[in-house]
Amino acid sequence: MEKLYKKVNGVRIELTAKEVEEYIQRQIEAAKLAAEEESKTE
Amino acid sequence: MPKLSDKTALTTLADGDLIHTVDVSDTTSSAAGTSKKIVASDVKTYMADYELIETATASTDTSIDFVLPSGYTSFQVIASGIQTTTGSTSLYFRTSSDGGSTFDSTTGDYSYTNFRVGTTTTAIYESATNTFIELTRSSLSYRHTSIILEITNPTDSNYTDILFRAKWSSDGLESLQVGNGSGVRRASAAINAIRFYPSSSTFATGTFKLYGIK
């Protein structure tokens, strides 16, 4: 997996393992929401 | 020594110009104080009620965070040209009370309401108990976004108020939305860091400017 970064006061910082985990969880939740939205419009 | 009124007048100041001042706390020369010099840039800092604190330019970042310095009664963030790496992405906001080590993310940490008008839809979105404040919502490929967000009482021991307005539009710019909203951090604690992040993907572009108001 590519390295992930956040920006704090303009300085680029690599995410910690915990932050990467949170980021991945966010992607999963967003994908679920998108699937729900899509099923509503079908 | 010539009188002040006899000296050549200046109509503008450069940052390095010197100004004559009297330091009343230093009684070395007399009980009234001691004559000293100060550079114009320091006077500007002293006088400024509204000043740029920090600029962050997004480039494949999962979030844009700012640590809020002390000495300000309010903060404003003006963010423009925001695009995420992929579409269908909303923009969220969180606060921190420990200088950005952790961001408040428990259900019930935030309440918000957001009135949105679009070229094809109009809606009111609200949440009484959420894990974030939703600034924009995109179920299509809306991702060209600008936001102005204000925090009016960051050090208040009561709930922190957050006011925002946003514009976002689709990739082809054929569809446009504008949102006007408010939110609160539902805790009796001062906040000292803030975070902007997309619901998925990363920020591809965008400039975030943090201003402080004294």
Side-chain angles (χ1 to χ4, degrees):
Chain A
M1 187 176 175
E2 278 182 44
K3 286 181 179 176
L4 291 165
Y5 298 89
K6 62 182 177 181
K7 207 153 266 171
V8 181
N9 284 1
V11 178
R12 203 163 196 230
I13 298 171
E14 191 177 343
L15 296 195
T16 62
K18 186 170 180 254
E19 287 171 329
V20 170
E21 199 177 305
E22 287 169 358
Y23 174 78
I24 292 168
Q25 190 57 37
R26 209 157 73 212
Q27 307 312 299
I28 294 167
E29 284 165 15
K32 275 186 199 165
L33 273 177
E36 281 172 19
E37 289 287 330
E38 202 171 315
S39 65
K40 281 180 198 168
T41 56
E42 281 173 355
Chain B
M1 183 180 287
K3 290 184 295 182
L4 184 61
S5 55
D6 292 337
K7 294 187 175 184
T8 304
L10 260 185
T11 54
T12 58
L13 280 173
D15 279 352
D17 284 347
L18 297 174
I19 298 166
H20 187 171
T21 187
V22 175
D23 181 356
V24 295
S25 68
D26 182 351
T27 55
T28 308
S29 299
S30 77
T34 302
S35 288
K36 292 184 179 175
K37 64 187 176 188
I38 185 169
V39 292
S41 58
D42 286 340
V43 176
K44 191 163 67 177
T45 301
Y46 174 72
M47 298 288 285
D49 286 333
Y50 178 88
E51 58 190 13
L52 176 64
I53 297 169
E54 201 74 62
T55 299
T57 304
S59 58
T60 328
D61 297 306
T62 59
S63 68
I64 299 291
D65 302 351
F66 289 112
V67 177
L68 304 177
S70 59
Y72 299 94
T73 61
S74 305
F75 293 96
Q76 183 182 54
V77 176
I78 299 179
S80 59
I82 306 166
Q83 284 197 48
T84 48
T85 313
T86 62
S88 303
T89 304
S90 303
L91 192 60
Y92 296 159
F93 175 83
R94 278 179 175 159
T95 61
S96 167
S97 294
D98 59 10
S101 295
T102 59
F103 283 86
D104 309 308
S105 58
T106 304
T107 302
D109 276 349
Y110 306 95
S111 295
Y112 66 83
T113 182
N114 194 342
F115 178 69
R116 300 159 206 211
V117 178
T119 48
T120 56
T121 57
T122 295
I124 297 172
Y125 295 108
E126 53 79 26
S127 176
T129 57
N130 214 311
T131 59
F132 53 78
I133 291 174
E134 188 183 65
L135 305 177
T136 70
R137 179 179 291 193
S138 304
S139 57
L140 299 171
S141 293
Y142 290 89
R143 57 184 183 132
H144 302 264
T145 304
S146 287
I147 290 172
I148 298 174
L149 179 141
E150 284 150 331
I151 303 162
T152 57
N153 56 346
T155 57
D156 198 325
S157 58
N158 291 315
Y159 291 2
T160 299
D161 293 337
I162 292 140
L163 309 169
F164 58 91
R165 49 196 190 275
K167 163 268 161 191
W168 61 106
S169 51
S170 58
D171 273 358
L173 303 178
E174 72 280 1
S175 192
L176 173 73
Q177 293 214 25
V178 61
N180 217 329
S182 64
V184 290
R185 162 73 177 109
R186 293 163 52 88
S188 301
I191 65 165
N192 51 22
I194 55 174
R195 164 170 285 178
F196 296 85
Y197 68 101
S199 58
S200 64
S201 179
T202 55
F203 288 118
T205 63
T207 302
F208 294 72
K209 288 180 179 286
L210 172 69
Y211 295 88
I213 299 153
K214 289 183 177 171

